[in-house]
Amino acid sequence: MQNNSQHSDGLVVILATGGTIAGSGDDVGYTAGQVGVADLVAAVPALAGRALEAEQVAQVDSKDMSHAIWRTLAERLVHHLARPEVAGIVVTHGTDTLEETAYFLHRVLGPAKPVVLTAAMRPVTSLQSDGPQNLLDAVTIAAHLDVRGVLAVLQGRVHGPVDVRKALPFALDAFSSGEAGPVALIQEGQLRALRPWPAGTPLGMSAIGTDPAAWPRVDIVVSHAGADGVVVDALVAAGARGLVVEGTGNGTVHASLLAALARAQATGVRVLRATRCAGAAVVGAPAGALPSAGELSPAKARIELLLEILTSAA
Ligand code: SIN
């Protein structure tokens, strides 16, 4: 596939949401979401002179990412993507839930321009700070003429929104696309595409409405040795409209938990079956099995189910 560095002179908008890339402190005892987006840009000398705009959409540790921030971020993206002078958009984010935000934006917006999420495993105050290079790479990709869709760039690897996941909790090279592998590499500012850019049929903003507080409750339950149905029954009683089960192996589920999920299904709760095995799809759907989440991790299957319930209610 293409191996080039076709930068446009178009404007890149940076939407900041917080995370370690905006963190301050030492390598473990830091606080995420402290540094404003203007200072993040100023910390990358190579960005001086580039056509950039920056906007602080949120300032959170991404473990605390909310549906309300997702809704606001999607709305700001729609606004900037519609501007003809904008070549692409960078979203700075925490690493912990970056993969969820990437999948949500992919399914809702499926943009024709690049929307590039990036993050850092070390705060800007660390000797190992990885944020500045990741931000530079993200801006380079967002300005690239050939790129489209929601992507995530970290450590020189460009990941697609379906496969990307944080695979390691502390290592600098923490992200993986599992068996699928990255969609591209960026090395010394040169982009090398390996697979097609993410495509699909976006649901559009109308699918998610204007009030995230009205989104249905969808939870994740886990199958494990000794599992039972107590959590499922409690979640159904709390109003869950969808449940993702993080199964063992190829999406297998403990018999006691399975019985509770079947009870939930019988009351109209939708269920999807994923696997706790990292970076691989659930293969096949034996007769009588719960519906499969396929290649989606449990966290992404939760988003898929949430959107499915929202769109089927519309
Ligand atoms: C976060 O996800 O906001 C904190 C962790 C990180 O960005 O690495």
Side-chain angles (χ1 to χ4, degrees):
M1 292 192 67
Q2 66 263 44
N3 182 352
N4 52 45
S5 56
Q6 303 237 309
H7 302 159
S8 74
D9 292 327
L11 179 65
V12 172
V13 178
I14 302 176
L15 301 181
T17 68
T20 295
I21 193 167
S24 173
D26 63 40
D27 284 1
V28 177
Y30 64 86
T31 309
Q34 298 296 300
V35 181
V37 64
D39 290 335
L40 294 189
V41 174
V44 187
L47 289 179
R50 298 289 295 261
L52 296 175
E53 270 179 26
E55 183 177 320
Q56 195 79 46
V57 173
Q59 188 64 294
V60 292
D61 186 320
S62 81
K63 71 180 175 56
D64 300 321
M65 184 52 63
S66 66
H67 292 170
I69 295 175
W70 276 356
R71 174 69 183 69
T72 302
L73 179 60
E75 188 273 327
R76 296 313 295 151
L77 281 161
V78 167
H79 167 79
H80 290 297
L81 287 166
R83 297 168 59 197
E85 71 275 24
V86 171
I89 302 184
V90 169
V91 177
T92 61
H93 202 285
T95 59
D96 285 348
T97 58
L98 177 145
E99 66 213 57
E100 294 181 51
T101 301
Y103 187 72
F104 172 78
L105 296 175
H106 168 67
R107 291 292 286 123
V108 174
L109 302 181
K113 294 178 182 177
V115 170
V116 188
L117 283 80
T118 196
M121 288 298 292
R122 299 288 181 271
V124 72
T125 41
S126 167
L127 283 178
Q128 291 185 302
S129 177
D130 50 333
Q133 182 65 53
N134 285 343
L135 181 57
L136 178 60
D137 287 345
V139 170
T140 302
I141 296 166
H144 204 284
L145 291 172
D146 296 333
V147 180
R148 66 178 181 281
V150 176
L151 298 160
V153 62
L154 300 112
Q155 293 283 311
R157 291 197 192 90
V158 186
H159 302 275
V162 175
D163 300 309
V164 65
R165 66 191 291 161
K166 186 173 181 179
L168 297 168
F170 186 70
L172 274 179
D173 201 2
F175 280 77
S176 167
S177 285
E179 290 180 320
V183 294
L185 303 174
I186 177 158
Q187 296 161 326
E188 294 293 316
Q190 302 294 304
L191 187 64
R192 181 152 71 96
L194 305 172
R195 296 198 279 132
W197 304 118
T201 310
L203 298 167
M205 288 297 281
S206 59
I208 60 172
T210 53
D211 180 12
W215 293 2
R217 181 180 184 105
V218 180
D219 292 281
I220 301 173
V221 296
V222 182
S223 190
H224 52 81
D228 63 22
V230 169
V231 172
V232 168
D233 293 340
L235 288 170
V236 173
R241 305 259 316 275
L243 293 171
V244 172
V245 57
E246 181 173 328
T248 39
N250 192 27
T252 53
V253 180
H254 191 292
S256 303
L257 181 57
L258 192 58
L261 289 165
R263 281 198 300 278
Q265 269 188 316
T267 68
V269 174
R270 295 195 197 201
V271 178
L272 272 184
R273 179 175 56 92
T275 175
R276 72 185 192 188
C277 296
V282 171
V283 178
L290 296 167
S292 171
E295 62 198 341
L296 299 179
S297 67
K300 291 179 190 177
R302 193 194 77 85
I303 297 166
E304 187 62 34
L305 198 46
L306 171 64
L307 294 172
E308 190 182 303
I309 294 169
L310 274 172
T311 47
S312 64

